[in-house]
Amino acid sequence: MRGASGRSWTTRRDDKAARLSKVAEIAEGRILPTDRIVEAMEKLISAGDRVVLEGNNQKQASFLSASLAQINPDHVNKLHMIMSSISRPEHLDIFEKGIAERLDFSYAGPQSLRISQMIEDGKLVVGAIHTYLELYGRLFIDLIPNVALVAADKADINGNLYTGPNTEDTPAIIEATAFKDGIVIVQVNELVDELPRVDIPGSWVDFIVVAEKPYQLEALFTRDPRNITELQILMGMMAIRGIYERHNVQSLNHGIGFNTAAIELLLPTYGEQLGLRGKICKHWALNPHPTLIPAIESGWVESIHSFGGEVGMERYISQRPDVFFTGSDGSLRSNRAFCQVAGQYAVDMFIGSSLQIDKDGNSSTVKSGRLTGFGGAPNMGHDPRGRRHATDAWLDMITTDDLLARGKKLVVQMVETHLSGNAPVFVESLDAIDVGRKAGLPEAPVMIYGDDVTHVVTEEGVAYLYKAESLDERREAIAAVAGVTPIGRNQNPRVTEKLRQEGLVALPEDLGIRRTDAKRTLLAAKSVEELVEWSGGLYEPPAKFRSW
Amino acid sequence: MRGASGRSWTTRRDDKAARLSKVAEIAEGRILPTDRIVEAMEKLISAGDRVVLEGNNQKQASFLSASLAQINPDHVNKLHMIMSSISRPEHLDIFEKGIAERLDFSYAGPQSLRISQMIEDGKLVVGAIHTYLELYGRLFIDLIPNVALVAADKADINGNLYTGPNTEDTPAIIEATAFKDGIVIVQVNELVDELPRVDIPGSWVDFIVVAEKPYQLEALFTRDPRNITELQILMGMMAIRGIYERHNVQSLNHGIGFNTAAIELLLPTYGEQLGLRGKICKHWALNPHPTLIPAIESGWVESIHSFGGEVGMERYISQRPDVFFTGSDGSLRSNRAFCQVAGQYAVDMFIGSSLQIDKDGNSSTVKSGRLTGFGGAPNMGHDPRGRRHATDAWLDMITTDDLLARGKKLVVQMVETHLSGNAPVFVESLDAIDVGRKAGLPEAPVMIYGDDVTHVVTEEGVAYLYKAESLDERREAIAAVAGVTPIGRNQNPRVTEKLRQEGLVALPEDLGIRRTDAKRTLLAAKSVEELVEWSGGLYEPPAKFRSW
């Protein structure tokens, strides 16, 4: 179709039609035969295409990614890959093989070392590293995909999809592709006559292929309470007393890790002793953490919206629809895009951990040669300056009487002063600066910027950074809780004493907490087995977490 | 269903089942008869419910809102309404009648005067005023709806929905309700056997009702080029030369208004003279502005993702799928949630207008007794501190050599120094402070905070605020372009001269622009009729914009 200018305005649509016609003899309706997927992909994907591959941090379109790696690079090459998570070896193999050339991504946990090496060796050109939400945003702006390769549980022959508990990134990826004349190929575990519910309408989907085996799914958010230490319990008590209670935190996100798992397991015990049930921590944006089961069962939790699912939690969730978001079939509905929006804008607090924090409070999980990327933490762990509604916790961050003063989100960094190998967390300068320079990044890969952090919790105490009136005061407050690290050794005991009196720093005793009370007996569950008990047998942990 | 604790975990699901059974004799399958909608709503909605009503800034579920206003307040009352936009009289009538009591919203343009009065009179309790995106976020956290009342173009008897060009808020609202055992009631213009495409799967929908007449739809984003002034053209030239070109702006959002309409119409003329086609302004997050047609036809625009549709643009869009997001049926796919995410995180620049700016650069559209709310501007018009990918424009905002320095989004305020009634835009103190106090808001309703603003453009010149090294310098730069206003009169000519030399302020002549060149002849289209010509007759403006 050509306008008055003589140019065509339907090049994408025409190109799609041409590609579809090439697989007409392979496909039966919308179904691609499993054993001809590589051949079909060679016809449906063109050199230089932008291909978005799912690739999120739990669910992997593993059959499609393995098939992509088998494509002949003489025919299909120079692909520009867009992936929220680089998790599987073939995600990088395709670059080694010359099938793909350019990469935009969010997170590369399991492949962080290899990706750094490949960038240094010039085998891979990184466009940028993103948070999940900004990567989704760019799918509608300047990273519009030509092809989407995604994973679902079930499909019917009309292409309707059931993504069930692990909906995650799928709706965002498919929407950006389907509505811009891109090609959407979905691997499913099963083709069925009737779906439990429809998560994605068939009119957004071009092809279904039944995968050789179910898509890969990782239990990323399960933490065994056995590994929670008494230092973490102490920190958890300080967080509950010194932050959650003090600022009346109603809604929150917990990052992944043992620190926040400790808090989850302290709510029904220590939190109960403080009389806080029904008063704080009612609304959550987080994956279905098994360590939250005791708090749910004890009546602490009103609602949870989830980014993704968690292996083993399916049956428990389906029996707790008052708490979780579930579909008409009873199983979880997760949605990473909306949960990130909620986690950014709609909760009082983000609390997470880090591997390094510098003297100003900047932090990063990037260390020596590992380009891990960002995931969702920076999106939730910053002061959302576009937010306009207020809550008690938000308003509590105001420290001036300026008529235009605004609140802040609580952004809490919770770390032990040293990592398990005894490396200090508090350092003069972040490794991220060097790693970023080597990778040719235009900005150092900082996870959370110091001026967004409102509180730091360590085993030493709590630093109330939002009260600091200058950068110097912020530094002093950080040093006061930084223990025997390069930063902590700078602390001046008289300054720390002054900060305590002014309320910028609180030690456990300032919060009415005795260090000797921080015992594992305080945990509502001390093992995965006890979590299963709390759940009435509904939680079914993966084998690797079973010790009985 | 009860757990070991004896409590039920399915109260919402059970309650929904009970409500559905009450309308069993009214509904035929999923279809509610048009003439029994009030009766059905009285059975499906309970006192104290959270009801989300669509209510966005263009599409109105007008049949359902009118029906809601007919409900008997003795049976259904104390509703907590959640609406992205307060647009119709009955949106407030329900409060006068005692049906509703509490309100959370984003925008109240057409009803802003009445809402302020009702708050003062205690007829209405406002929870908070939000940006669209944070309101969507809260639907998944602490404002989970019991009932959603929404509008779609067409449905089939299975409840599948076609929202077509005006998808807007619908997916976000329905998802939050449907997956938390809420009740989703949809008014449609038509019930059909086969939908052009499915935008919302039927398994997310409980009831369909065919409306008495099609839903209300406003052409909010149409600006008649006839009303563009030469001052606006001058400002537009300065913006293109002094901001778009200088910072290599690739992707952007234009706010609503004549200022940005002028820019859209200058790209194919003045922009072309500067040789900028294909170099800037390629990717857009915005509604389908008719004034963008000449730029599209001239090959300036690679892609547009839209919050909503625009009346009259449907046929043009369906013939330009290389540019717009369209479905398999050829018509526009809009999605306010994703477009807000993209407009926040994925574009180089936001440029918008305001009614008042104070000496520090804080701005608001709230004036004397009018509580207009926020809409989407604060979400796009702030420095998104959770963003981690860099672009040229982003990096251009860095003014230090700090190793951890980060870029910024360009947030541009473009205003004439005086409003049409000659009231100054630049004022000592924002009316928002008083309006907020009277409405009992915990924070003054500031649209965009001064420290987020990187540039101010007036007919006097451009202030490059991102270069200011102190609050004093920011104030000086603002005063330098504030003309004969209370703020502009404070300017010291010697300081302004210094700011020009240091590049903090540019007058037209500093940008190589002659004021006398700013003529209406520079506009690529000088009337709606010429826009229609540019579109090859595909743009079909509503009657009120036709003068021929």
Side-chain angles (χ1 to χ4, degrees):
Chain A
M1 185 186 313
R2 283 164 196 285
S5 64
R7 72 164 266 196
S8 165
W9 296 96
T10 55
T11 59
R12 286 179 70 99
R13 187 177 292 172
D14 300 343
D15 178 54
K16 176 171 178 173
R19 297 188 196 195
L20 295 192
S21 72
K22 283 198 243 171
V23 295
E25 57 90 23
I26 299 178
E28 293 175 46
R30 291 178 196 253
I31 313 298
L32 293 170
T34 305
D35 58 359
R36 297 183 72 184
I37 186 65
V38 174
E39 185 190 348
M41 286 168 85
E42 286 178 345
K43 293 179 194 296
L44 289 169
I45 305 177
S46 300
D49 271 359
R50 277 199 209 106
V51 177
V52 55
L53 171 62
E54 187 174 29
N56 57 49
N57 71 358
Q58 295 180 278
K59 179 172 71 165
Q60 304 297 332
S62 38
F63 176 64
L64 290 175
S65 58
S67 302
L68 185 66
Q70 292 172 48
I71 277 185
N72 184 341
D74 294 339
H75 299 148
V76 180
N77 47 48
K78 299 195 166 135
L79 297 183
H80 178 171
M81 301 302 298
I82 306 165
M83 301 174 63
S84 83
S85 182
I86 313 292
S87 307
R88 293 171 57 84
E90 70 263 23
H91 291 169
L92 293 176
D93 294 347
I94 55 175
F95 293 90
E96 306 255 13
K97 290 183 179 179
I99 298 165
E101 178 175 272
R102 192 175 170 86
L103 174 65
D104 277 281
F105 73 106
S106 285
Y107 181 68
Q111 301 289 338
S112 56
L113 203 57
R114 185 170 166 213
I115 205 172
S116 305
Q117 195 57 52
M118 285 177 67
I119 293 169
E120 241 181 287
D121 297 348
K123 289 182 181 161
L124 173 63
V125 178
V126 169
I129 314 177
H130 309 73
T131 63
Y132 295 129
L133 204 54
E134 63 185 298
L135 190 63
Y136 305 150
R138 289 189 71 189
L139 295 178
F140 296 92
I141 302 291
D142 61 346
L143 291 180
I144 298 168
N146 301 98
V147 176
L149 305 174
V150 305
D153 287 34
K154 304 172 201 282
D156 65 22
I157 58 159
N158 297 316
N160 293 300
L161 303 182
Y162 175 69
T163 48
N166 306 293
T167 301
E168 312 208 353
D169 299 11
T170 316
I173 292 174
I174 292 188
E175 176 155 354
T177 311
F179 288 102
K180 205 67 177 62
D181 290 316
I183 294 173
V184 175
I185 306 173
V186 185
Q187 73 167 69
V188 298
N189 300 343
E190 288 183 84
L191 194 63
V192 298
D193 289 334
E194 193 157 357
L195 296 172
R197 73 179 190 233
V198 178
D199 288 297
I200 308 276
S203 54
W204 305 13
V205 172
D206 296 294
F207 295 108
I208 299 292
V209 58
V210 178
E212 279 171 352
K213 54 182 184 184
Y215 60 71
Q216 183 195 343
L217 187 65
E218 287 298 316
L220 265 189
F221 295 86
T222 299
R223 290 292 175 275
D224 188 337
R226 239 179 260 282
N227 300 322
I228 295 174
T229 65
E230 294 186 339
L231 271 193
Q232 288 162 341
I233 292 167
L234 174 66
M235 287 160 57
M237 295 167 75
M238 287 194 278
I240 292 171
R241 194 78 214 261
I243 301 175
Y244 292 43
E245 179 184 21
R246 178 172 297 187
H247 303 300
N248 193 18
V249 171
Q250 298 294 305
S251 53
L252 67 163
N253 165 265
H254 270 187
I256 192 173
F258 287 102
N259 291 339
T260 43
I263 294 175
E264 291 157 18
L265 292 168
L266 287 170
L267 291 176
T269 54
Y270 180 65
E272 188 73 32
Q273 290 165 23
L274 297 175
L276 297 175
R277 178 161 46 89
K279 296 189 180 153
I280 60 165
C281 299
K282 294 191 283 198
H283 304 287
W284 301 70
L286 86 173
N287 274 65
H289 292 185
T291 39
L292 206 52
I293 291 172
I296 295 169
E297 295 299 307
S298 311
W300 279 75
V301 177
E302 281 185 27
S303 70
I304 298 176
H305 188 256
S306 296
F307 308 96
E310 183 66 5
V311 179
M313 287 288 281
E314 295 83 357
R315 208 153 66 92
Y316 176 72
I317 291 166
S318 72
Q319 303 295 312
R320 297 291 180 271
D322 275 358
V323 173
F324 292 95
F325 281 71
T326 59
S328 50
D329 66 318
S331 74
L332 180 71
R333 167 74 172 191
S334 60
N335 185 321
R336 197 177 317 279
F338 276 122
C339 200
Q340 287 286 341
V341 167
Q344 178 189 28
Y345 265 142
V347 301
D348 286 335
M349 183 180 77
F350 163 83
I351 179 167
S353 200
S354 198
L355 297 181
Q356 284 191 334
I357 300 180
D358 74 10
K359 61 183 183 302
D360 296 346
N362 302 298
S363 65
S364 183
T365 54
V366 167
K367 282 195 68 182
S368 51
R370 283 190 183 271
L371 197 59
T372 46
F374 298 119
N379 175 60
M380 288 178 285
H382 76 272
D383 180 35
R385 298 188 52 86
R387 173 171 158 173
R388 291 293 179 274
H389 76 277
T391 58
D392 285 357
W394 176 266
L395 294 172
D396 232 18
M397 298 297 101
I398 296 179
T399 55
T400 73
D401 51 9
D402 184 337
L403 290 173
L404 293 180
R406 57 193 292 282
K408 275 189 108 172
K409 183 181 201 168
L410 276 66
V411 174
V412 183
Q413 294 273 291
M414 186 178 184
V415 293
E416 290 176 56
T417 55
H418 292 78
L419 299 174
S420 50
N422 217 28
V425 167
F426 293 89
V427 295
E428 275 294 331
S429 171
L430 299 178
D431 287 1
I433 294 175
D434 270 348
V435 173
R437 192 186 290 131
K438 274 195 189 150
L441 301 182
E443 295 177 341
V446 172
M447 184 66 90
I448 295 182
Y449 287 93
D451 48 359
D452 280 326
V453 178
T454 57
H455 301 74
V456 175
V457 184
T458 72
E459 74 275 17
E460 301 288 330
V462 181
Y464 295 88
L465 301 190
Y466 71 94
K467 290 186 174 177
E469 288 179 1
S470 66
L471 180 57
D472 279 345
E473 205 169 43
R474 172 146 50 101
R475 287 175 176 167
E476 289 167 357
I478 292 169
V481 297
V484 195
T485 62
I487 300 303
R489 279 193 293 263
N490 290 339
Q491 75 170 282
N492 174 338
R494 284 173 51 193
V495 170
T496 300
E497 193 48 41
K498 181 178 74 83
L499 294 173
R500 282 177 70 187
Q501 279 163 19
E502 292 171 354
L504 268 90
V505 166
L507 306 189
E509 51 268 38
D510 302 330
L511 300 168
I513 294 168
R514 281 184 304 194
R515 287 170 189 269
T516 49
D517 286 347
K519 294 292 179 206
R520 278 185 46 86
T521 48
L522 258 189
L523 296 176
K526 287 165 244 2
S527 65
V528 171
E529 200 174 354
E530 287 183 25
L531 293 175
V532 174
E533 276 170 37
W534 269 103
S535 78
L538 293 169
Y539 172 44
E540 299 162 317
K544 65 177 170 181
F545 292 106
R546 289 172 188 269
S547 53
W548 58 97
Chain B
M1 187 184 314
R2 283 165 196 284
S5 64
R7 72 165 265 197
S8 166
W9 297 96
T10 55
T11 58
R12 287 178 69 97
R13 188 177 291 172
D14 299 342
D15 177 55
K16 175 172 180 174
R19 296 189 197 195
L20 296 192
S21 71
K22 283 198 245 171
V23 296
E25 57 90 22
I26 299 179
E28 292 175 46
R30 291 179 196 252
I31 314 299
L32 293 171
T34 305
D35 58 0
R36 298 183 70 183
I37 186 65
V38 175
E39 184 189 350
M41 285 168 86
E42 285 178 346
K43 293 179 193 296
L44 290 169
I45 306 177
S46 300
D49 271 359
R50 278 199 208 107
V51 177
V52 55
L53 171 63
E54 186 173 28
N56 57 49
N57 70 358
Q58 296 180 278
K59 179 172 70 166
Q60 305 296 333
S62 39
F63 175 64
L64 290 175
S65 58
S67 303
L68 185 65
Q70 293 172 47
I71 279 184
N72 184 342
D74 295 339
H75 299 148
V76 180
N77 47 46
K78 300 198 165 127
L79 298 183
H80 178 171
M81 300 302 298
I82 305 164
M83 302 174 63
S84 82
S85 182
I86 313 291
S87 307
R88 294 171 56 84
E90 70 263 23
H91 291 169
L92 293 176
D93 293 346
I94 54 175
F95 293 90
E96 306 254 14
K97 292 183 178 178
I99 298 164
E101 177 174 272
R102 193 175 170 85
L103 174 66
D104 277 281
F105 73 108
S106 286
Y107 181 69
Q111 301 290 337
S112 56
L113 203 57
R114 184 170 168 214
I115 204 172
S116 305
Q117 194 56 53
M118 286 177 68
I119 293 168
E120 240 181 286
D121 297 348
K123 290 185 182 159
L124 173 63
V125 178
V126 169
I129 313 178
H130 309 74
T131 64
Y132 296 129
L133 205 54
E134 63 186 298
L135 189 64
Y136 304 150
R138 290 189 71 190
L139 295 178
F140 296 91
I141 302 291
D142 61 345
L143 291 181
I144 298 169
N146 301 98
V147 175
L149 305 174
V150 305
D153 287 34
K154 305 173 201 282
D156 65 21
I157 56 160
N158 297 315
N160 293 300
L161 303 182
Y162 174 69
T163 47
N166 306 294
T167 301
E168 312 207 354
D169 299 11
T170 316
I173 291 173
I174 293 188
E175 176 155 353
T177 311
F179 289 101
K180 204 70 177 60
D181 290 317
I183 294 174
V184 176
I185 306 173
V186 186
Q187 72 166 71
V188 299
N189 301 343
E190 288 182 85
L191 194 64
V192 297
D193 289 335
E194 192 157 358
L195 296 172
R197 71 179 192 235
V198 178
D199 288 296
I200 307 278
S203 53
W204 304 14
V205 172
D206 296 294
F207 295 107
I208 300 292
V209 58
V210 177
E212 279 172 352
K213 54 182 182 183
Y215 59 73
Q216 182 195 345
L217 187 64
E218 287 299 315
L220 265 190
F221 294 87
T222 299
R223 289 294 175 274
D224 189 336
R226 240 179 260 282
N227 301 322
I228 295 174
T229 66
E230 294 186 340
L231 271 193
Q232 288 162 340
I233 292 167
L234 174 66
M235 288 161 57
M237 294 168 75
M238 287 193 278
I240 291 172
R241 195 76 213 262
I243 300 175
Y244 291 44
E245 179 184 22
R246 177 172 298 186
H247 302 301
N248 193 20
V249 171
Q250 298 294 303
S251 53
L252 66 164
N253 166 264
H254 271 187
I256 193 172
F258 286 102
N259 292 339
T260 44
I263 295 175
E264 290 157 17
L265 292 168
L266 287 170
L267 291 176
T269 56
Y270 180 64
E272 188 73 31
Q273 290 165 23
L274 297 175
L276 296 175
R277 178 162 45 89
K279 295 188 181 153
I280 62 166
C281 299
K282 294 191 283 198
H283 304 286
W284 300 71
L286 86 174
N287 274 64
H289 292 184
T291 39
L292 206 51
I293 291 173
I296 294 170
E297 295 299 306
S298 311
W300 278 76
V301 177
E302 281 185 27
S303 70
I304 298 175
H305 188 258
S306 296
F307 308 96
E310 183 65 8
V311 179
M313 288 288 281
E314 295 82 358
R315 208 153 67 91
Y316 176 72
I317 291 165
S318 72
Q319 302 295 312
R320 297 292 180 269
D322 276 358
V323 171
F324 292 95
F325 281 72
T326 59
S328 51
D329 65 319
S331 74
L332 180 72
R333 166 76 173 190
S334 61
N335 186 320
R336 198 179 315 279
F338 276 123
C339 200
Q340 288 285 342
V341 167
Q344 178 189 28
Y345 265 143
V347 301
D348 286 335
M349 183 179 79
F350 164 83
I351 178 167
S353 202
S354 198
L355 297 182
Q356 283 191 331
I357 301 181
D358 75 10
K359 62 182 182 304
D360 296 346
N362 301 299
S363 64
S364 184
T365 53
V366 167
K367 282 193 70 180
S368 49
R370 283 189 183 273
L371 197 58
T372 47
F374 298 119
N379 174 59
M380 289 179 285
H382 76 273
D383 180 34
R385 298 188 52 86
R387 173 170 158 173
R388 292 294 179 271
H389 76 277
T391 58
D392 284 358
W394 176 266
L395 294 172
D396 233 19
M397 298 297 102
I398 296 179
T399 55
T400 73
D401 52 9
D402 184 337
L403 291 172
L404 292 180
R406 57 192 294 282
K408 274 190 109 171
K409 183 181 201 168
L410 277 66
V411 175
V412 183
Q413 294 272 292
M414 185 176 183
V415 293
E416 289 177 56
T417 55
H418 292 79
L419 299 174
S420 50
N422 216 28
V425 167
F426 293 89
V427 294
E428 275 295 332
S429 171
L430 300 177
D431 287 1
I433 294 175
D434 270 347
V435 173
R437 192 187 291 129
K438 273 195 190 149
L441 301 182
E443 296 178 340
V446 172
M447 184 66 90
I448 296 183
Y449 286 93
D451 47 359
D452 280 326
V453 178
T454 57
H455 302 74
V456 175
V457 183
T458 72
E459 73 275 18
E460 301 288 330
V462 182
Y464 295 89
L465 302 189
Y466 70 94
K467 290 186 175 180
E469 288 178 2
S470 66
L471 180 57
D472 279 345
E473 205 168 43
R474 172 146 51 102
R475 288 175 174 168
E476 290 167 357
I478 292 169
V481 297
V484 196
T485 62
I487 300 303
R489 279 192 292 264
N490 290 340
Q491 77 170 283
N492 173 337
R494 284 174 51 194
V495 170
T496 300
E497 192 49 41
K498 180 179 74 84
L499 294 173
R500 282 176 71 188
Q501 279 163 18
E502 291 171 355
L504 269 91
V505 166
L507 306 189
E509 50 268 38
D510 301 330
L511 300 169
I513 294 169
R514 282 185 304 196
R515 287 170 188 268
T516 50
D517 286 347
K519 295 291 179 205
R520 279 186 45 87
T521 48
L522 259 188
L523 295 176
K526 285 164 248 356
S527 65
V528 171
E529 198 173 357
E530 287 183 25
L531 292 174
V532 174
E533 275 170 36
W534 269 102
S535 77
L538 293 169
Y539 171 44
E540 298 163 317
K544 65 177 170 180
F545 291 106
R546 289 171 188 267
S547 53
W548 59 96

